[in-house]
């Protein structure tokens, strides 16, 4: 037995020595690890954190799943290195809770290994959700390495699980207990709304700082010539963007919305063009797209009844588990004046589409009632008015009758579409007034907001500023 104790003691001493060395290096490290236990390409806020950190002189390691391509600005930054995490699948056999438990344990081991193989970091930035098992793993690595753990609360993971399993399911209750316990282990907590900040303080005993989502600099109105190029590009794959009739001059380029003159090269909007309505989604349970489809059916009936309304092209972008389900529902509709397409856009094309659209629609209703839809932030960055599904704290972002409208059901949404698109395109209409209000609001962009809110908090925690 004695050799076993000696071996165990030797391993313990080795672990302590490694931890001491990592903590020593972390005190002077200009390195940050950003952890996303999800798809990096579909985690814009964490991409923005990485870019802002890199701009301030930090080297950044971004750990996450690499299913979708991040924005080029991130990929081309020499200070940012993306490290792929493997998304482990559940066991195919056994009770559901056992399958989930085994997946969590294996994911924890994998994440621990990846973190311990990285150079020492001053901070570990962690997106939550998902925080199981990431919060505990990142805290443990921080204890060994001397890294400060920063949790960025986008929502509550247990509330999202509750949409699938129900709020009283054992897994949901366990996840809530874990999130509440481990969430208190961080050195700094950021969150996305004042409502969430207050809830974290009152019900979780966690002090957080509100850092509102802000659009990145590349979310802006799209010039007409870039709109035309985008429509021609998308028209090669999606018929909704193709012209309904060919121009008389074969050299003239025409999309469903724009036309480029063969002689002058000038791009103009087509007379009688359809209106372009855009929504984006992760196709999850917290967005009910049957509401939009029902509103579109009512809008179609108004056109058939002789109302002065344009045809619509409705573009719903995104990936997610319910996309196939809603695609089948869309396929069962027999619209005559509405076309619906569901593309997955390249990261560079998404801002261009928002900047080209006439109206955005958001169906996000928040599993916790405490987060805000980042898609609306991006739309506002492009000066795109929005109709948004109402919920508890939406007023922190959408100002009804100022930068958009809020609705509670398909009837209200249909009425809003009718009002906004009446006599389209009408320069004196409500839609144009909302756009003008957004143009005049001079919104703060992400990096400037980050510099004012997050950077001072990091400097207060940074050891080298106190030496």
């Amino acid at each position: 037995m004695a050799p076993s104790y000696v071996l165990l003691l030797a391993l313990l001493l080795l672990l302590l020595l490694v931890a001491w060395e990592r903590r020593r290096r972390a005190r002077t490290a200009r390195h940050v690890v950003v952890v996303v236990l999800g798809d990096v390409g579909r985690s814009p806020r964490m991409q923005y954190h990485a870019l802002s950190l890199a701009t301030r002189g930090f080297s950044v390691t971004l750990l996450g799943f690499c299913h979708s391509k991040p924005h080029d600005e991130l990929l081309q930054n020499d200070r940012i290195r993306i490290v792929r995490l493997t998304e482990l699948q559940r066991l195919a056999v056994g009770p559901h809770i056992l399958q989930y438990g085994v997946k969590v344990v294996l994911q924890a081991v994998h994440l621990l290994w990846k973190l311990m193989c990285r150079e020492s970091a001053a901070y570990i930035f962690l997106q939550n959700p998902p925080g199981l098992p990431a919060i505990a793993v990142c805290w443990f690595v921080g204890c060994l390495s001397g890294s400060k753990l920063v949790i960025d609360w986008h929502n509550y993971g247990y509330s999202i699980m509750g949409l699938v399993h129900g709020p009283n399911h054992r897994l949901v209750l366990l996840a809530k207990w874990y999130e509440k316990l481990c969430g208190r282990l961080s050195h700094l907590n950021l969150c996305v709304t004042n409502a969430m900040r207050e809830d974290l303080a009152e019900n979780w005993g966690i002090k957080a700082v509100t850092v509102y989502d802000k659009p990145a600099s590349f979310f802006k109105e799209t010039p007409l010539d870039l709109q035309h190029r985008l429509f021609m590009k998308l028209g090669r794959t999606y018929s909704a963007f193709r012209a309904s009739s060919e121009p008389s001059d074969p050299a003239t380029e025409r999309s469903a919305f724009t036309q480029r003159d063969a002689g002058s090269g000038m791009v103009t909007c087509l007379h009688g063009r359809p209106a372009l309505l855009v929504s984006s989604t992760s196709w999850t349970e917290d967005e009910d797209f049957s509401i939009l489809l029902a509103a579109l059916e009512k809008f179609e009936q108004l056109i058939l009844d002789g109302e002065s309304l344009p045809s619509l092209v409705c573009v719903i972008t995104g990936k997610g588990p319910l996309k196939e389900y809603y695609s089948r529902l869309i396929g069962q509709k027999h619209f005559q004046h509405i076309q619906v397409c569901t593309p997955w856009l390249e990261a560079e094309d998404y801002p261009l589409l928002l900047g080209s659209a006439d109206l955005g629609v958001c169906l996000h209703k928040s599993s916790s009632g405490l987060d805000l839809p980042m898609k609306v932030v991006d739309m506002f960055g492009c000066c795109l008015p929005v109709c948004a599904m109402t919920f508890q704290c939406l007023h922190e972002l959408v100002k009804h009758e100022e930068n958009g409208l809020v609705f509670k059901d398909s009837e209200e949404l249909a009425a809003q579409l009718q009002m906004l698109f009446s006599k389209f395109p009408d320069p004196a209409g409500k839609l144009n007034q909302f756009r003008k209000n957004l143009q005049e609001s001079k919104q703060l962009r992400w990096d400037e907001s980050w510099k004012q809110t997050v950077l001072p908090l990091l400097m207060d925690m940074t050891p080298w500023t106190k030496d």
Side-chain angles (χ1 to χ4, degrees):
M1 290 296 288
S4 300
Y5 285 118
V6 171
L7 180 60
L8 184 61
L9 182 60
L11 288 173
L12 182 59
L13 289 172
L14 180 61
L15 182 63
L16 290 172
L17 181 62
V18 169
W20 176 82
E21 176 61 18
R22 290 180 66 90
R23 291 178 71 89
R24 185 185 65 81
R25 292 180 182 177
R27 284 189 58 80
T28 56
R30 294 287 293 181
H31 175 233
V32 179
V33 175
V34 178
V35 179
V36 181
L37 208 58
D39 187 2
V40 170
R42 293 164 65 192
S43 304
R45 184 172 164 107
M46 302 313 285
Q47 293 184 55
Y48 299 166
H49 275 306
L51 285 167
S52 292
L53 286 161
T55 301
R56 301 314 178 291
F58 289 93
S59 64
V60 180
T61 300
L62 179 52
L63 272 71
F65 306 146
C66 298
H67 302 320
S68 307
K69 178 177 171 283
H71 203 276
D72 279 345
E73 193 175 342
L74 191 89
L75 296 174
Q76 293 167 4
N77 194 302
D78 293 337
R79 290 185 174 275
I80 300 174
R81 180 188 177 203
I82 299 176
V83 175
R84 178 189 296 269
L85 290 177
T86 302
E87 185 174 10
L88 304 175
Q89 303 301 316
R90 290 184 191 170
L91 294 173
V93 295
H96 181 77
I97 196 165
L98 176 63
Q99 295 177 18
Y100 188 78
V102 170
K103 177 184 175 181
V104 166
V105 170
L106 293 177
Q107 196 76 68
V109 172
H110 177 61
L111 178 59
L112 178 63
W113 173 256
K114 288 287 187 178
L115 285 169
M116 292 302 292
C117 289
R118 307 275 73 80
E119 63 180 287
S120 298
Y123 311 106
I124 299 174
F125 268 67
L126 173 65
Q127 173 184 297
N128 183 63
L132 183 64
I135 300 177
V137 173
C138 291
W139 169 79
F140 179 70
V141 171
C143 289
L144 293 178
S145 304
S147 306
K148 307 292 186 183
L149 175 58
V150 180
I151 300 179
D152 193 9
W153 297 80
H154 298 190
N155 200 348
Y156 296 148
Y158 81 88
S159 70
I160 296 174
M161 291 178 66
L163 294 175
V164 179
H165 303 292
N168 297 316
H169 191 280
R170 286 178 297 172
L171 281 177
V172 176
L173 296 175
L174 178 63
K176 183 177 182 180
W177 170 83
Y178 164 86
E179 212 166 1
K180 192 171 183 178
L181 175 69
C182 294
R184 298 169 180 166
L185 301 175
S186 60
H187 296 84
L188 174 64
N189 291 279
L190 311 176
C191 64
V192 294
T193 64
N194 285 332
M196 180 173 283
R197 184 196 68 205
E198 292 165 6
D199 188 75
L200 283 167
E202 292 173 12
N203 300 316
W204 296 57
I206 294 173
K207 183 181 178 181
V209 177
T210 303
V211 180
Y212 282 118
D213 284 322
K214 299 291 181 183
S217 58
F218 43 78
F219 283 99
K220 55 190 176 184
E221 292 181 272
T222 305
L224 197 56
D225 61 328
L226 289 182
Q227 289 186 33
H228 179 73
R229 279 189 234 168
L230 176 68
F231 296 150
M232 295 301 295
K233 176 183 176 180
L234 295 176
R236 292 195 286 269
T237 308
Y238 305 102
S239 60
F241 291 92
R242 296 174 199 152
S244 57
S245 61
E246 292 298 321
S248 55
D249 183 351
T252 298
E253 282 187 345
R254 181 181 289 177
S255 72
F257 307 93
T258 54
Q259 179 171 290
R260 184 188 295 278
D261 183 77
S264 66
M266 181 180 293
V267 177
T268 55
C269 289
L270 289 177
H271 177 70
R273 70 172 179 88
L276 178 55
L277 185 152
V278 174
S279 186
S280 66
T281 178
S282 298
W283 298 108
T284 52
E285 288 80 1
D286 60 355
E287 292 180 294
D288 184 359
F289 270 83
S290 64
I291 293 173
L292 175 58
L293 295 178
L296 292 178
E297 286 182 307
K298 293 177 175 67
F299 189 88
E300 166 104 346
Q301 189 57 51
L302 289 169
I303 297 176
L304 296 175
D305 291 342
E307 291 283 337
S308 178
L309 294 167
S311 298
L312 281 184
V313 172
C314 177
V315 181
I316 308 171
T317 72
K319 290 180 180 178
L322 295 179
K323 182 173 182 177
E324 189 175 330
Y325 166 76
Y326 281 111
S327 294
R328 286 197 301 270
L329 286 185
I330 293 167
Q332 292 167 9
K333 307 298 179 184
H334 301 289
F335 294 124
Q336 298 177 43
H337 301 278
I338 297 172
Q339 297 183 74
V340 182
C341 64
T342 57
W344 171 250
L345 299 177
E346 295 176 12
E348 287 69 42
D349 287 341
Y350 178 61
L352 294 177
L353 178 66
L354 295 188
S356 307
D358 298 299
L359 180 67
V361 171
C362 174
L363 293 154
H364 177 86
K365 58 187 177 184
S366 179
S367 60
S368 65
L370 301 172
D371 69 313
L372 291 171
M374 195 162 189
K375 70 196 77 178
V376 174
V377 175
D378 296 337
M379 290 173 182
F380 284 169
C382 296
C383 297
L384 178 63
V386 170
C387 292
M389 185 81 175
T390 188
F391 61 89
Q392 180 180 334
C393 66
L394 186 65
H395 65 276
E396 293 189 38
L397 177 60
V398 180
K399 312 300 181 186
H400 187 63
E401 292 284 356
E402 183 179 322
N403 53 19
L405 300 169
V406 299
F407 61 88
K408 66 176 184 294
D409 54 33
S410 62
E411 294 281 348
E412 285 194 357
L413 177 57
Q416 290 172 4
L417 295 179
Q418 180 185 7
M419 182 266 289
L420 293 172
F421 287 127
S422 179
K423 300 178 182 178
F424 175 86
D426 180 7
K430 183 76 78 172
L431 194 60
N432 237 33
Q433 185 58 54
F434 290 158
R435 188 181 292 274
K436 185 178 178 183
N437 291 345
L438 287 164
Q439 290 167 340
E440 293 174 351
S441 65
K442 292 183 170 47
Q443 306 166 67
L444 198 64
R445 296 290 165 159
W446 168 270
D447 191 63
E448 188 61 32
S449 173
W450 193 94
K451 179 182 175 182
Q452 293 177 14
T453 54
V454 181
L455 185 60
L457 298 171
L458 297 184
M459 293 300 99
D460 285 345
M461 294 195 301
T462 306
W464 61 79
T465 65
K466 301 172 184 178
D467 288 344

